[in-house]
Coordinates of all heavy atoms in Angstrom, one line a residue:
D224 N -21.3 -24.5 9.8 CA -21.3 -23.4 10.7 C -22.7 -22.8 10.8 O -23.1 -22.2 11.8 CB -20.4 -22.3 10.2 CG -18.9 -22.8 10.1 OD1 -18.4 -23.1 11.2 OD2 -18.4 -22.9 9.0
W225 N -23.5 -22.9 9.7 CA -24.9 -22.4 9.6 C -25.8 -23.5 9.0 O -25.4 -24.2 8.1 CB -24.9 -21.2 8.7 CG -24.5 -19.9 9.4 CD1 -23.3 -19.4 9.6 CD2 -25.4 -18.9 10.0 NE1 -23.3 -18.2 10.3 CE2 -24.6 -17.9 10.6 CE3 -26.8 -18.8 10.2 CZ2 -25.1 -16.8 11.2 CZ3 -27.3 -17.7 10.8 CH2 -26.5 -16.7 11.3
H226 N -27.0 -23.6 9.5 CA -28.0 -24.4 8.9 C -29.3 -23.5 8.8 O -29.7 -22.8 9.7 CB -28.4 -25.6 9.7 CG -29.5 -26.4 9.1 ND1 -29.4 -26.9 7.9 CD2 -30.8 -26.7 9.6 CE1 -30.6 -27.6 7.6 NE2 -31.4 -27.5 8.6
V227 N -29.9 -23.6 7.6 CA -31.2 -22.8 7.3 C -32.3 -23.8 7.1 O -32.2 -24.7 6.3 CB -31.0 -21.9 6.0 CG1 -32.2 -21.1 5.8 CG2 -29.7 -21.1 6.1
D228 N -33.4 -23.6 7.8 CA -34.5 -24.5 7.7 C -35.8 -23.8 8.1 O -35.8 -22.7 8.6 CB -34.3 -25.7 8.7 CG -34.9 -27.0 8.2 OD1 -36.1 -27.0 8.0 OD2 -34.2 -28.0 8.0
T229 N -36.9 -24.5 7.7 CA -38.3 -24.0 7.9 C -39.0 -24.8 9.0 O -40.1 -24.5 9.4 CB -39.1 -23.9 6.7 OG1 -39.2 -25.3 6.1 CG2 -38.5 -23.0 5.6
N230 N -38.4 -25.9 9.4 CA -39.0 -26.8 10.4 C -38.4 -26.4 11.8 O -37.3 -26.6 12.1 CB -38.7 -28.2 10.1 CG -39.5 -29.2 10.9 OD1 -39.6 -29.0 12.1 ND2 -39.9 -30.3 10.3
L231 N -39.3 -25.8 12.6 CA -38.9 -25.4 13.9 C -38.4 -26.6 14.8 O -37.5 -26.4 15.7 CB -40.0 -24.6 14.6 CG -39.6 -23.9 16.0 CD1 -38.5 -23.0 15.8 CD2 -40.9 -23.2 16.5
E232 N -39.0 -27.7 14.6 CA -38.6 -28.9 15.4 C -37.2 -29.3 15.1 O -36.4 -29.6 16.1 CB -39.6 -30.0 15.2 CG -39.3 -31.3 16.0 CD -40.3 -32.4 15.8 OE1 -41.3 -32.1 15.1 OE2 -40.1 -33.4 16.4
I233 N -36.8 -29.3 13.9 CA -35.5 -29.6 13.5 C -34.5 -28.6 14.0 O -33.4 -28.8 14.5 CB -35.4 -29.8 12.0 CG1 -36.1 -31.1 11.6 CG2 -33.9 -29.8 11.5 CD1 -36.0 -31.4 10.1
I234 N -34.9 -27.3 13.9 CA -34.1 -26.2 14.4 C -33.8 -26.4 15.9 O -32.6 -26.2 16.3 CB -34.8 -24.9 14.1 CG1 -34.8 -24.5 12.6 CG2 -34.1 -23.7 14.9 CD1 -33.5 -24.1 12.0
S235 N -34.8 -26.7 16.6 CA -34.7 -26.9 18.1 C -33.8 -28.1 18.4 O -32.9 -28.0 19.3 CB -36.0 -27.1 18.7 OG -36.9 -26.0 18.5
Q236 N -33.9 -29.2 17.6 CA -33.1 -30.4 17.9 C -31.6 -30.1 17.6 O -30.7 -30.7 18.2 CB -33.6 -31.5 17.0 CG -35.0 -32.0 17.5 CD -35.5 -33.1 16.5 OE1 -34.9 -33.4 15.5 NE2 -36.7 -33.6 16.8
L237 N -31.3 -29.3 16.6 CA -30.0 -29.1 16.1 C -29.3 -27.9 16.9 O -28.1 -27.7 16.7 CB -29.9 -28.8 14.6 CG -30.3 -30.0 13.7 CD1 -30.4 -29.5 12.3 CD2 -29.4 -31.1 13.9
A238 N -30.0 -27.2 17.7 CA -29.5 -26.0 18.3 C -28.2 -26.2 19.1 O -27.3 -25.4 19.2 CB -30.6 -25.3 19.2
R239 N -28.2 -27.4 19.8 CA -27.0 -27.6 20.6 C -25.8 -28.2 19.8 O -24.7 -28.4 20.4 CB -27.4 -28.5 21.8 CG -28.0 -29.9 21.3 CD -28.3 -30.7 22.5 NE -28.9 -32.0 22.2 CZ -28.9 -33.1 22.9 NH1 -28.4 -33.0 24.1 NH2 -29.6 -34.2 22.5
F240 N -26.0 -28.5 18.6 CA -25.0 -29.1 17.8 C -24.4 -28.2 16.7 O -23.2 -28.3 16.3 CB -25.5 -30.4 17.1 CG -26.0 -31.5 18.0 CD1 -27.4 -31.7 18.0 CD2 -25.2 -32.2 18.8 CE1 -27.9 -32.6 18.9 CE2 -25.7 -33.2 19.6 CZ -27.1 -33.4 19.7

Side-chain angles (χ1 to χ4, degrees):
D224 299 298
W225 279 83
H226 176 61
V227 183
D228 211 298
T229 60
N230 190 319
L231 186 57
E232 184 177 353
I233 290 182
I234 290 284
S235 302
Q236 292 174 357
L237 295 174
R239 56 178 177 161
F240 302 108

